[in-house]
Amino acid sequence: MNTSRRVFALIDCNSFYCSCERICQPGLKRRPVVVMSNNDGCVIARTSEAKALGIPMGASFKDVRKELSKHGVVVRSSNYTLYADISNRVMRVMAEMLPGIEVYSIDEAWGDMTGVADPEALGCNIRDRLAQEIGMPVGVGISTTKTLAKLANWAAKKWKATGGVLDLTDPVRQEKLLRLAPVCEVWGVGHRSAAKLATLNISTAWDLAQFDAATLRKTFGVTMERTARELRGVSCIGFKQGPPPKQAICSSKMFGKRQKELPPIREALTAYVSRAAEKLRSQNSLCSTIQVGLQTQLADLDGPRYANSMTLALPAPTDDTREILALAQRGLEQIFRPGYPFSKCSILLMDLSQRGELTGDLFALGPRPGAERLMAIVDQINEKNGRGTLRFGRVPKKPKWAMRRDMLSQRYTTRWEEVICVRG
């Protein structure tokens, strides 16, 4: 293999949310499983068995409830605590086996295989180890650009003969797959773009790769031109050792039921601020400005509607949950209106900077003594024992405003009281 060229691998978990449920509940193996969105609203994940039954992605639970019951489909509410923990375990294994990884989402990551003597063998080893140690099935696509690696991953999952791993570094194999792959399966080409491309007689990935780059740029923009070049084997999207720090952090969820009183909304905002500040500290950032939002169900045309937000500046950049929360609660009081059936509140952290990046204001109040160490200890305890182990007293253990998750499985890997029990 020519070691001078870059080689990318995309490792993508199969039906990640459903696979997490199966890892901790072996009885679900080979049974159709779907996972629902927040408040058990709609289908957001399906196993292959559920797909074969024709259960559409995004289907409203109330619309497919009878069909799910008829076919014995197992329905689970979103268990984000479980999913995040298993994702961390998957990423740790990848980091141990690859020279470098770039986490792309909760269920997939790019791997750097540049200079690896046998990329396909390494891909098989990664797949086998994740299956044996964690129980997570994955597909591995390998090629000389990210777009080709993504397409190889699609093919690895689609055709069982690949064994779940496809090395597409060879130009001959690249052309063969490009001629077979529909253009809508190319990374960055959605169904709308595919429809527009069809008017130019572009129906396959090969057609897109061969099309005039200047015309693509003029008609669709630089992103489509870059995609075509990547399909030709020209690497335009580099490899990073992890995602850049977020420029803004938002925490927001729909309430399980409408809230008309201020106290429960205060509780919810406290929980959301705590989560947002935790994310802030995880990327070593400080926040200078916040935005508090509150709204009713705006899609409800028959009921009273109201939405408002307030942007507030902190005295100095901080990652202290207490400072952010105190300001957020003041903002909430100003935008709250009695009598409205509120369905959602939110906190947005803005004007983020990295710790040590800004020069301090001589006239601003300094941070509370020991604040940085206190927040670090809180994060360590919650990471070790489960989110919410240490929380503000205002947040009850089982809040009435929490989103509906009537079919929630246990947090098997992060809660001692919910760990799997094996009875003799």
Side-chain angles (χ1 to χ4, degrees), residues 3 6 32 95 106 149 192 219 221 230 260-261 323 336 374 401:
T3 57
R6 206 68 187 260
I106 192 172
R192 290 185 179 180
T219 308
E230 286 250 323
K260 292 185 177 182
E261 304 296 329
E323 301 290 346
F336 176 78
L374 174 62
W401 45 263

Side-chain angles (χ1 to χ4, degrees), residues 42-78:
C42 60
V43 176
I44 57 170
R46 306 163 295 165
T47 60
S48 57
E49 295 86 354
K51 294 176 185 177
L53 292 172
I55 307 299
M57 180 69 83
S60 170
F61 182 46
K62 64 181 181 181
D63 292 337
V64 295
R65 183 196 297 265
K66 291 183 180 178
E67 187 176 359
L68 294 172
S69 178
K70 175 184 175 182
H71 294 289
V73 178
V74 178
V75 183
R76 290 287 182 263
S77 302
S78 297

Side-chain angles (χ1 to χ4, degrees), residues 251-323:
S251 182
S252 173
K253 291 185 179 70
M254 299 290 288
F255 301 141
K257 60 181 180 180
R258 311 283 174 86
Q259 301 295 325
K260 292 185 177 182
E261 304 296 329
L262 183 58
I265 299 177
R266 281 181 174 277
E267 294 175 0
L269 183 62
T270 301
Y272 300 165
V273 168
S274 297
R275 178 60 181 141
E278 182 182 289
K279 292 180 180 180
L280 183 72
R281 292 188 292 272
S282 71
Q283 65 174 36
N284 201 33
S285 294
L286 302 174
C287 169
S288 297
T289 307
I290 66 170
Q291 184 179 87
V292 184
L294 185 63
Q295 69 175 60
T296 61
Q297 180 55 265
L298 300 181
D300 185 0
L301 300 180
D302 297 326
R305 292 187 293 169
Y306 171 83
N308 200 356
S309 63
M310 176 167 284
T311 302
L312 303 157
L314 287 151
T318 183
D319 62 2
D320 189 334
T321 304
R322 298 167 298 174
E323 301 290 346

Side-chain angles (χ1 to χ4, degrees), residues 147-158:
T147 303
L148 284 171
K150 185 84 169 177
L151 196 62
N153 185 281
W154 167 78
K157 290 185 175 183
K158 182 175 178 62

Side-chain angles (χ1 to χ4, degrees), residues 189-202 219-220 224:
V189 178
H191 289 287
R192 290 185 179 180
S193 296
K196 293 180 181 179
L197 289 168
T199 64
L200 299 175
N201 294 320
I202 299 175
T219 308
F220 297 93
M224 190 66 74

